Amino acid sequence: MAAADNLQKPSAAPFAIPGLGRALISAGKVSQQAAEAAVKKAATSRTPFITELSQSGEISALEIAETISTMFSTPLLDLNAIDSQQLPRELLDPKISTTYRVLALTKRGNRITVATADPTQQEAAEQIKFTTQLLVDWVVVEADKLQKLIDQTGKSVSESLDSYSNSGDFDFDDVKIEDTPEEKDNIGADVEDAPVVKFLHKMLLDAFNMRASDLHFEPYEHNYRVRFRVDGELREIASPPIAIKDKLASRIKVISRLDISEKRIPQDGRMKLKVGPDRVIDFRVSTLPTLFGEKIVIRILDPSSAKMGIEALGYEPEEKERLLKAIKRPYGMILVTGPTGSGKTVSLYTCLNLLNQPGVNIATAEDPSEINMPGVNQVNVNEKAGLTFAAALKSFLRQDPDIIMVGEIRDLETADISIKAAQTGHLVLSTLHTNDAPTTLTRMRNMGIAPFNIASSVILITAQRLARRLCPQCKEPADIPHEALLEAGYNEDELDGSWTSYKPVGCPACNNGYKGRVGIYQVMPISEEMQRIILRDGSALEIAAQSKAEGVRSLRASGLHKVKLGQTSLEEVLAVTNE
């Protein structure tokens, strides 16, 4: 009977000894009583069994690791030989590391090497395999060292983010990104992680305060960086832990109404940041799958930029007069050209703001609409749904418009409908990606538009660039050789000593000697002589020569004039224009 009682004692115990404990008992490394005590204490304090066993004095963590390595034929590793900064933290979700007390070491092919103090954790192996789609190779390590490294890894992420979020005076009560009720239902703990949310808000607000145009969140193999484009130049602002890349991407996707589960294709969305009780900033979001995660670019859309007036854009008096004369015409086509980020949209909306009157019907088609303007009927192009620029234009013509703005002329069909609208009593404003005004006409010809249609519809073309403006507080006179000024494009008559060129210096109030940007414009009205050149299918060189004869400055000449006025430097003009 006594023997029977003895056999029943283990199964009658309130806490069962795990397989690892039974293996250590079988090897004679620990006693039954010590294992049971460790199991009870671990259940009460909610700590790992191995931790309690190593702290009991019965056996050390090193002895446990050596025994397990031998019994299960698993490699033994000393974590003191590992550089914690070089660990690939992006391989494994931090929650899995904390829950199962494991740590990813390396990845090779379709296998992942994971450090553990207990290789019998079948559930942990299955979870890692499911989330990473990799086969697990265990490496045995000492439990105390493993726990310490896991704690350090977890803290480094939150502490690092907090250091960014809490730097400077920043009141998070005044900053809020509002989620719709449907989005709130889909937000999990991963995207509501407080340090990540604070970090994102901090970056968005800092970018706005620094007058940045774009934010770039870029994941690489061993690091993660955040850059702002300030005055046209990218500057690295922060280098947070790479472990946050997925949580940060998820948070941005949720508030931008993107598919949080889709990481294989690019996505586009929008979001709003509320700063204070009556100030809201719009952002356009673009995601792009890269080798090491999703790169996210956020563009700041400031609605006030379209209402600041044409004087603030930097047009010279004669250029402004030409543009205002063209937009007051009852019909015809006005084209604004330049590369991405040259301010074309702001120029178009500045014109629309001048034309936006109660008695005028204005419709725009964009991809997407960047600036919200009350009184203007704005349409977002959606090619997947069949709402192309051409389809939107056809609908506009049935809506009795006076003025039509097309975000970009990309193909012959859109160009053809735009020209017909300009020929039938509508003022059409649009953009093209060309280098200067004269080449815009030949570009339209190459698209397949007949010379007659170009000559009879286009009334003005504006090419533009944005150059960094010299800081008025620290700029200094530049000593530029006479030959260099001639080579840049100045005439001998202009180098009469009546003006001074300046160079950037740098001070606390600016960015390396520059503060803000100034527009460089080539405003070319289409004269009768230019129409004749177009009708006989003349080249861009002929049109450029004619425009020069009519007093139209080229982009380079316009930039050189800004240098004479002391608004920008010669180096900046040479960098953004061709001669």
Side-chain angles (χ1 to χ4, degrees), residues 21-52:
R22 293 196 299 271
L24 291 170
I25 293 171
S26 299
K29 295 295 182 179
V30 296
S31 64
Q32 179 87 14
Q33 292 77 11
E36 288 179 356
V39 170
K40 292 177 184 179
K41 194 170 182 181
T44 305
S45 60
R46 296 175 180 263
T47 54
F49 164 73
I50 291 181
T51 301
E52 293 298 337

Side-chain angles (χ1 to χ4, degrees), residues 19-189:
L20 186 61
R22 293 196 299 271
L24 291 170
I25 293 171
S26 299
K29 295 295 182 179
V30 296
S31 64
Q32 179 87 14
Q33 292 77 11
E36 288 179 356
V39 170
K40 292 177 184 179
K41 194 170 182 181
T44 305
S45 60
R46 296 175 180 263
T47 54
F49 164 73
I50 291 181
T51 301
E52 293 298 337
L53 189 60
S54 61
Q55 292 176 354
S56 67
E58 184 88 5
I59 185 173
S60 68
L62 178 58
E63 289 179 295
I64 294 174
E66 290 174 342
T67 303
I68 293 172
S69 173
T70 302
M71 293 182 66
F72 293 96
S73 300
T74 307
L76 177 66
L77 177 68
D78 182 4
L79 286 179
N80 286 338
I82 297 292
D83 182 0
S84 61
Q85 298 300 318
Q86 298 299 321
L87 287 174
R89 298 173 185 176
E90 73 280 2
L91 285 181
L92 205 56
D93 190 323
K95 283 190 173 181
I96 294 179
S97 293
T98 304
T99 303
Y100 297 103
R101 290 172 174 84
V102 294
L103 198 64
L105 298 177
T106 60
K107 172 183 173 291
R108 180 171 296 176
N110 66 337
R111 309 188 76 87
I112 181 172
T113 303
V114 183
T116 180
D118 182 3
T120 65
Q121 296 184 93
Q122 190 60 33
E123 183 182 346
E126 292 298 329
Q127 186 67 23
I128 295 170
K129 182 179 178 181
F130 176 75
T131 56
T132 65
Q133 297 298 302
L134 300 170
L135 299 176
V136 178
D137 290 330
W138 290 122
V139 172
V140 176
V141 296
E142 298 163 61
D144 52 351
K145 292 180 181 178
L146 176 63
Q147 188 60 51
K148 184 178 179 181
L149 196 54
I150 291 173
D151 291 342
Q152 286 177 352
T153 304
K155 286 179 182 177
S156 64
V157 174
S158 59
E159 287 175 356
S160 182
L161 290 180
D162 284 339
S163 68
Y164 288 116
S165 301
N166 297 329
S167 58
D169 296 328
F170 184 58
D171 186 0
F172 284 100
D173 293 333
D174 292 336
V175 181
K176 184 179 182 183
I177 296 180
E178 294 186 355
D179 305 304
T180 63
E182 294 81 4
E183 290 166 348
K184 287 180 180 178
D185 293 338
N186 296 326
I187 297 177

Side-chain angles (χ1 to χ4, degrees), residues 399-420:
Q399 294 273 325
D400 186 32
D402 297 302
I403 299 168
I404 296 172
M405 196 270 271
V406 184
E408 182 185 348
I409 294 178
R410 298 177 178 173
D411 51 58
L412 177 59
E413 185 181 11
T414 304
D416 190 47
I417 299 171
S418 299
I419 282 176
K420 287 178 180 176

